[in-house]
């Protein structure tokens, strides 16, 4: 499994820079209070220029102005940040992979069984497109699980790109403070210190029974994380939920008959998953990956919900014909979205 974690850099601040281009390169903060009461609020985000003066998020605005009196100030504007977050999400959704929006400016994307090489190419493209099309900087972490992709990302901020593979995780974690592991707050950190554990490497070497005794199931979880075992899953939101399958062709081809055979298999698998979860679909999309690794996607929507495999395949065929033309493809995918239902979901959860 490969997971790509994308975290926007100083998101609120970067959003403000986007609409106030005169601010570029100048220290400013986004705060909680209205502009006229700014001294009563707290700093939400400080841009990197402001951080150079020691200004940090969570700090009273008054203190920030003491550190740098010429500071520019804006009140936070969630609706605006949310609208940009949605644009980032739909850019990422165009890659047709399961996405979990972890917060307004953080996304975890499931790359499934793709290789690190392929994932890196795509993840770099995502980073670049966010930069070019939305106009914002972000940092990207790639790893074999959700937690470690996020940690890779955190370690590469700002504007970075970091890959951590299974075989590198021990070294990556070893010397880090236990507080860097998600879920370990100040209290747990203090209790671990009492046990003589302050680094993740020490946690990894601790007696798991002792940890379970002290922290219950979380003790087991942190022991596993410290040892590079992460069970956290990517959870898609209902609105962005989709079910898809993709597969590499035996050999690159532009022959629609051969491609249709693959589309048939994929549609069948999608249909089975759909039934298992009790969903019906309204939209179908297909993806083609060409010889040069570029990808193209097409989608179409019905006016009603359906659960027909025939209909799915028929739509997939029509869409794919347009994508293939006379170009050879090496990989194809079928995905349904705009789902409804989900009766089976509860049973499965
Ligand atoms: Mg961020």
């Amino acid at each position: 499994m490969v997971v790509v974690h994308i975290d926007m850099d100083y998101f609120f601040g970067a959003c403000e820079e986007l609409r106030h281009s005169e601010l570029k390169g100048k220290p400013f903060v986004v705060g909680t209070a209205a502009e006229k009461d700014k001294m009563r609020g707290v700093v939400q985000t400080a841009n990197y220029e402001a951080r150079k003066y020691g200004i940090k998020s969570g700090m009273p605005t008054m203190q920030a102005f003491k550190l740098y009196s010429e500071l520019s100030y804006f009140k936070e504007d969630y609706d605006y940040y949310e609208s940009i977050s949605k644009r980032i999400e739909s850019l990422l959704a165009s890659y047709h992979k399961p996405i979990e929006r972890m917060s307004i400016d953080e996304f975890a994307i499931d790359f499934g069984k793709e290789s690190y090489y392929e994932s890196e190419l795509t993840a770099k493209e995502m980073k670049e497109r966010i930069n070019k099309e939305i106009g914002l900087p972000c940092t990207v972490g790639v790893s074999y699980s959700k937690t470690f992709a996020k940690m890779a990302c955190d370690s590469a901020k700002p504007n970075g790109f970091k890959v951590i593979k299974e075989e590198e995780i021990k070294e990556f974690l070893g010397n880090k403070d236990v507080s860097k592991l998600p879920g370990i707050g100040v209290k747990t950190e203090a209790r671990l210190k009492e046990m003589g554990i302050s680094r993740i490497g020490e946690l990894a070497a601790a007696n798991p029974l002792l940890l379970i005794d002290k922290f219950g199931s979380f003790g087991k979880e942190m022991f596993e994380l410290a040892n590079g075992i992460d069970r956290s899953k990517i959870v898609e939101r209902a609105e962005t939920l989709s079910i898809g399958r993709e597969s590499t062709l035996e050999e690159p081809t532009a022959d629609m008959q051969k491609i249709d055979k693959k589309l048939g298999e994929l549609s069948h698998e999608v249909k089975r998953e759909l039934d298992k979860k009790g969903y019906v679909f309204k939209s179908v999309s297909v993806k083609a990956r060409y010889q040069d690794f570029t990808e193209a996607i097409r989608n179409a929507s019905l006016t009603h919900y359906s659960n027909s495999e025939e209909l799915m395949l028929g739509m997939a065929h029509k869409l794919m014909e347009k994508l293939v033309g006379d170009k050879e493809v090496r990989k194809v995918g079928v995905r349904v979205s705009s789902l409804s239902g989900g009766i089976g979901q509860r049973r499965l959860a």
Side-chain angles (χ1 to χ4, degrees):
M1 184 191 194
V2 174
V3 175
V4 170
H5 184 97
I6 297 183
D7 186 358
M8 303 306 296
D9 298 331
Y10 69 104
F11 184 56
F12 297 170
C15 288
E16 293 300 345
E17 274 178 9
L18 204 57
R19 60 177 175 182
H20 298 282
S21 56
E22 73 279 5
L23 284 175
K24 267 263 178 222
K26 290 185 191 155
F28 73 88
V29 296
V30 174
T32 52
E35 181 139 20
K36 60 178 170 51
D37 291 326
K38 62 186 175 195
M39 293 305 181
R40 289 201 222 152
V42 171
V43 173
Q44 262 287 6
T45 309
N47 70 344
Y48 284 99
E49 281 75 18
R51 288 179 204 189
K52 284 181 199 150
Y53 293 91
I55 297 167
K56 293 189 265 208
S57 51
M59 174 182 277
T61 319
M62 196 169 357
Q63 195 184 338
F65 273 91
K66 271 187 196 144
L67 289 167
Y68 186 72
S69 59
E70 303 294 296
L71 200 60
S72 299
Y73 180 90
F74 296 98
K75 180 184 169 8
E76 60 194 1
D77 177 356
Y78 271 101
D79 289 347
Y80 170 58
Y81 310 144
E82 183 64 36
S83 73
I84 294 184
S85 175
K86 284 261 161 63
R87 283 177 55 205
I88 299 165
E89 189 173 13
S90 58
L91 186 155
L92 296 173
S94 73
Y95 288 86
H96 283 222
K97 298 180 191 305
I99 299 177
E100 178 177 346
R101 192 170 95 139
M102 296 177 71
S103 73
I104 193 166
D105 78 327
E106 269 179 287
F107 304 88
I109 307 157
D110 185 352
F111 275 54
K113 293 196 180 92
E114 278 187 43
S115 68
Y116 278 107
Y117 176 73
E118 285 178 298
S119 307
E120 251 188 85
L121 281 182
T122 310
K124 281 191 176 142
E125 187 190 287
M126 286 171 168
K127 177 169 160 54
E128 225 178 275
R129 283 187 59 199
I130 290 174
N131 201 254
K132 285 216 174 98
E133 294 171 31
I134 318 270
L136 296 179
C138 63
T139 299
V140 178
V142 182
S143 193
Y144 61 94
S145 82
K146 193 166 130 180
T147 305
F148 299 132
K150 181 177 164 63
M151 289 179 77
C153 181
D154 287 344
S155 75
K157 290 208 134 274
N159 199 21
F161 189 98
K162 184 155 180 78
V163 183
I164 297 169
K165 298 179 184 170
E166 284 95 326
E167 60 266 32
E168 297 161 339
I169 197 72
K170 282 239 153 143
E171 208 195 315
F172 173 75
L173 294 175
N175 265 327
K176 287 201 163 43
D177 218 77
V178 285
S179 63
K180 292 275 188 243
L181 278 182
I184 297 194
V186 191
K187 276 190 192 160
T188 311
E189 190 186 358
R191 288 176 68 194
L192 284 169
K193 277 231 168 81
E194 280 169 23
M195 298 168 74
I197 298 169
S198 54
R199 307 220 179 261
I200 299 176
E202 291 161 354
L203 182 59
N207 179 350
L209 294 177
L210 207 62
L211 292 169
I212 292 167
D213 192 45
K214 288 239 177 191
F215 302 98
S217 63
F218 182 54
K220 177 168 176 261
E221 201 180 304
M222 66 171 113
F223 176 76
E224 286 184 342
L225 278 177
N227 281 287
I229 302 162
D230 177 18
R231 301 183 193 276
S232 57
K233 295 243 160 47
I234 289 190
V235 185
E236 289 182 276
R237 289 191 305 172
E239 312 97 272
T240 54
L241 197 68
S242 66
I243 296 173
R245 289 287 182 279
E246 45 185 77
S247 172
T248 306
L249 296 158
E250 266 156 45
E251 48 181 16
T253 180
D255 181 346
M256 268 315 285
Q257 231 169 347
K258 284 184 188 158
I259 294 169
D260 267 338
K261 198 173 152 255
K262 188 58 94 181
L263 291 179
E265 291 166 22
L266 295 172
S267 299
H268 188 66
E269 283 178 37
V270 170
K271 162 73 173 158
R272 269 183 46 191
E273 186 74 17
L274 207 56
D275 286 348
K276 206 163 84 184
K277 294 187 172 163
Y279 284 116
V280 288
F281 65 92
K282 219 170 178 176
S283 301
V284 174
S285 68
V286 296
K287 182 170 94 174
R289 177 176 289 189
Y290 302 106
Q291 280 289 60
D292 61 358
F293 279 94
T294 58
E295 290 183 347
I297 286 163
R298 287 237 176 177
N299 66 296
S301 292
L302 297 162
T303 50
H304 57 277
Y305 287 105
S306 170
N307 70 346
S308 158
E309 185 179 331
E310 250 182 88
L311 192 58
M312 191 194 307
L313 180 57
M315 287 170 81
H317 168 80
K318 270 194 195 153
L319 293 165
M320 187 58 81
E321 260 187 329
K322 291 181 196 152
L323 287 184
V324 174
D326 52 6
K327 282 196 277 185
E328 290 197 328
V329 296
R330 57 189 304 146
K331 192 174 188 179
V332 294
V334 175
R335 181 167 293 270
V336 292
S337 57
S338 306
L339 305 182
S340 178
I343 330 122
Q345 186 80 0
R346 257 167 270 136
R347 182 168 43 83
L348 289 168

